[in-house]
Amino acid sequence: MRTKVTGCMIRRCLDAGRCQDFPDDLRDLPDWVGYIRVADMPEVAAWVGGGARLCSEAEWEFAARSGGLPFRYPWGNFPPTCAQLPLPEFCEPVECPTEECAPCSWPDYNTQQGVCNLVNEYVADTYHANYRGAPLDGSAWIDNGWAHRVLRGVSWGDPRVSSRWEGGGQQAIGEFRLCRTLDGPPSEPASVPGGASPFGGRQRVPSLPPPPAQRAPAANEGEEIPWYCTPQWVDIPGGSFLMGTDDPLAALDETPTHEVAVRPFQIMQAKATFCMVRRCVEAGVCDAQTPEGPLPLDREPIRDDHPLGLASFALAQQFAAWVGQGTRLCSEAEWEYAARSAGQLWTYPWGDGLDCTRVNGLWPSPEYPDIEGCGRSCYLGNWCPVCSRPEGNTIQGVCDMAGNSGEWVEDHYHPDYVGAPADGNPWLDPGAEADRVVRSGGIEAWTLRSTRRAHQSEESYDATAIRLCRSPQQR
């Protein structure tokens, strides 16, 4: 149903003689309010007919997420404004003496399919404290015997699509809406149409690495170069996002969350590989020397398709100069925006779950006691070939944004985000000898979150790789 069940609908059910046991005072409900007992909700569904029933919790959340999109709210990821919901916390009180507050009065709150006011509604499921053992087919999770039902959307003060709490039993009173099943197979999760999401929107694209023999610009005419020996570029749409996290378990340098506007840009699909850096050295642009000797660019076994996780900040700048076309290290804001699939409020580039199919190694840590660890699946140091974990890619197809070596970004390190730029540019302290920020993490589970930050001196080359950005018009 597009709207909740309303008082007008309930009166029609009473007038039709189908809701016989309802209290008489339900006739006095305003047209746009439908509070009734949980025990009476199936009667309304029977009157509606056509297989109508209370929605399962899975159906409710799928609809509230605009067909399964990774949104925090039905409209996207930014908190509601007074134009979307008259939240009592920061909006002028809204009185509803007339139908100005009828369902769908705040269309900016709607899902992309036009479903209105998905707030504070009973669903068919019995309440469980967590989702362990929940059905995977979208059906309602109902225990034998009676228990309290699930309330979704919680309240006007907390309209997140994931909000849920324990409602009442049969005699509890509340709002609801109905669902019904259509013929045909289940639909695929929705894609974000262009311009529809708060970040400008992009269609979901396959998160796959390039083919193993892609034709690339060559150093010599007629030379065939494997795709991992030259940078491949991914377009990232511009938009605004909430950078950082307010998770109480996160480090202080990941706080506070703050809104940042990022212009469209391109980012290297993979970290710079041994092969890319060796070509830069052979061109006389990159310096292969380190304080401990030359970089092992030709050491056996050959690791051309592995990220070079031994880069100093100076080597990263030299590599950018060799690639040319306005390439540069990414700003920290650009990096996090890309790592979060263009600003999604996810823990990792692919979403919120963590498993061995998405990252290299994934060692357990005290902060993640449920992770058993995957061991080292790649034995050349701690690195795997770039783009070898496609399930861990971002929506746009950027590889290895969680693990498989840290990455330099342009910004100087600051202990928190107080005073950080809001325009997506790097946060620099000219003349300072501050460390630079390192992103992406290693192979320990706690380092893989997209908001996690580290820092190193510019001279360091320990477990740090290179990934570049550039403006989209430079091709």
Side-chain angles (χ1 to χ4, degrees):
M1 286 176 59
R2 182 170 181 245
T3 72
K4 303 173 189 288
V5 170
T6 65
C8 179
M9 296 177 196
I10 292 171
R11 277 198 302 276
R12 291 184 60 200
C13 182
L14 289 166
D15 292 343
R18 296 295 301 274
C19 297
Q20 295 290 341
D21 298 329
F22 285 19
D24 289 339
D25 58 5
L26 289 182
R27 291 186 176 276
D28 298 326
L29 284 172
D31 281 353
W32 56 94
V33 178
Y35 293 105
I36 67 171
R37 295 182 304 171
V38 170
D40 294 331
M41 292 175 184
E43 287 290 326
V44 178
W47 166 71
V48 172
R53 52 179 169 72
L54 278 172
C55 304
S56 73
E57 187 173 10
E59 289 172 330
W60 191 98
E61 183 167 327
F62 187 78
R65 290 182 182 272
S66 288
L69 294 174
F71 287 167
R72 176 171 286 191
Y73 307 101
W75 57 85
N77 282 320
F78 286 108
T81 66
C82 299
Q84 289 160 325
L85 284 177
L87 299 182
E89 286 82 355
F90 57 86
C91 300
E92 291 294 325
V94 176
E95 300 296 335
C96 293
T98 67
E99 291 190 13
E100 67 186 31
C101 292
C104 304
S105 294
W106 297 281
D108 288 342
Y109 175 87
N110 294 0
T111 69
Q112 291 184 5
Q113 291 77 25
V115 183
C116 311
N117 303 139
L118 283 151
V119 173
N120 201 32
E121 299 176 8
Y122 274 100
V123 294
D125 300 53
T126 302
Y127 178 77
H128 299 80
N130 57 54
Y131 288 127
R132 294 188 182 95
L136 300 179
D137 59 0
S139 60
W141 190 8
I142 300 175
D143 292 336
N144 293 329
W146 186 253
H148 289 182
R149 297 284 178 130
V150 176
L151 266 173
R152 291 305 305 255
V154 182
S155 71
W156 292 96
D158 185 10
R160 294 174 299 127
V161 293
S162 61
S163 294
R164 62 191 298 270
W165 64 298
E166 184 176 4
Q170 288 279 55
Q171 301 307 310
I173 295 175
E175 297 177 290
F176 67 110
R177 80 178 67 217
L178 301 176
C179 290
R180 63 185 180 188
T181 303
L182 300 177
D183 293 333
S187 300
E188 291 295 323
S191 296
V192 183
S197 85
F199 310 116
R202 287 179 64 81
Q203 293 285 346
R204 179 177 287 271
V205 297
S207 296
L208 297 174
Q214 179 172 324
R215 179 79 176 177
N220 300 308
E221 184 65 28
E223 182 182 358
E224 189 85 16
I225 296 180
W227 69 267
Y228 51 79
C229 287
T230 194
Q232 311 295 317
W233 297 95
V234 176
D235 291 317
I236 306 297
S240 295
F241 79 116
L242 292 177
M243 185 174 177
T245 180
D246 288 325
D247 187 334
L249 298 180
L252 290 177
D253 66 358
E254 300 173 44
T255 66
T257 55
H258 55 293
E259 187 171 340
V260 179
V262 178
R263 291 179 291 274
F265 64 99
Q266 292 179 317
I267 190 169
M268 282 174 56
Q269 183 184 36
K271 305 173 198 281
T273 62
F274 275 75
C275 182
M276 294 182 203
V277 176
R278 187 173 62 250
R279 290 183 62 207
C280 179
V281 171
E282 292 170 349
V285 180
C286 288
D287 184 358
Q289 292 298 316
T290 75
E292 297 181 6
L295 292 170
L297 298 176
D298 297 309
R299 181 185 299 170
E300 295 291 340
I302 297 299
R303 58 184 81 184
D304 276 0
D305 58 353
H306 287 60
L308 179 76
L310 300 167
S312 67
F313 190 80
L315 180 62
Q317 293 177 312
Q318 294 163 4
F319 181 76
W322 172 71
V323 175
Q325 295 183 312
T327 57
R328 51 180 170 74
L329 282 170
C330 306
S331 72
E332 187 173 14
E334 288 173 325
W335 191 96
E336 183 169 321
Y337 183 75
R340 294 167 71 170
S341 289
Q344 305 292 348
L345 293 179
W346 292 342
T347 306
Y348 307 104
W350 54 86
D352 290 324
L354 191 60
D355 62 65
C356 301
T357 68
R358 304 179 189 276
V359 295
N360 165 29
L362 189 56
W363 288 2
S365 66
E367 295 85 353
Y368 291 81
D370 294 333
I371 296 294
E372 296 180 357
C374 310
R376 292 187 186 180
S377 52
C378 306
Y379 294 93
L380 298 178
N382 288 329
W383 308 314
C384 288
V386 294
C387 299
S388 59
R389 298 289 188 275
E391 293 298 320
N393 291 3
T394 69
I395 286 177
Q396 291 75 27
V398 186
C399 309
D400 301 330
M401 295 295 272
N404 214 16
S405 182
E407 302 175 21
W408 291 108
V409 294
E410 185 71 21
D411 302 48
H412 284 115
Y413 177 75
H414 299 81
D416 56 42
Y417 287 129
V418 176
D423 58 3
N425 287 325
W427 193 4
L428 302 175
D429 296 327
E433 296 183 359
D435 288 358
R436 298 282 180 160
V437 176
V438 175
R439 289 302 205 109
S440 178
I443 58 175
E444 298 89 353
W446 67 276
T447 69
L448 301 175
R449 293 177 294 104
S450 297
T451 59
R452 192 257 180 181
R453 310 171 71 214
H455 58 98
Q456 294 185 165
S457 69
E458 293 185 6
E459 291 73 28
S460 175
Y461 59 95
D462 180 26
T464 313
I466 306 167
R467 192 190 301 261
L468 303 177
C469 288
R470 67 182 183 185
S471 298
Q473 70 273 16
Q474 295 163 329
R475 295 185 181 271

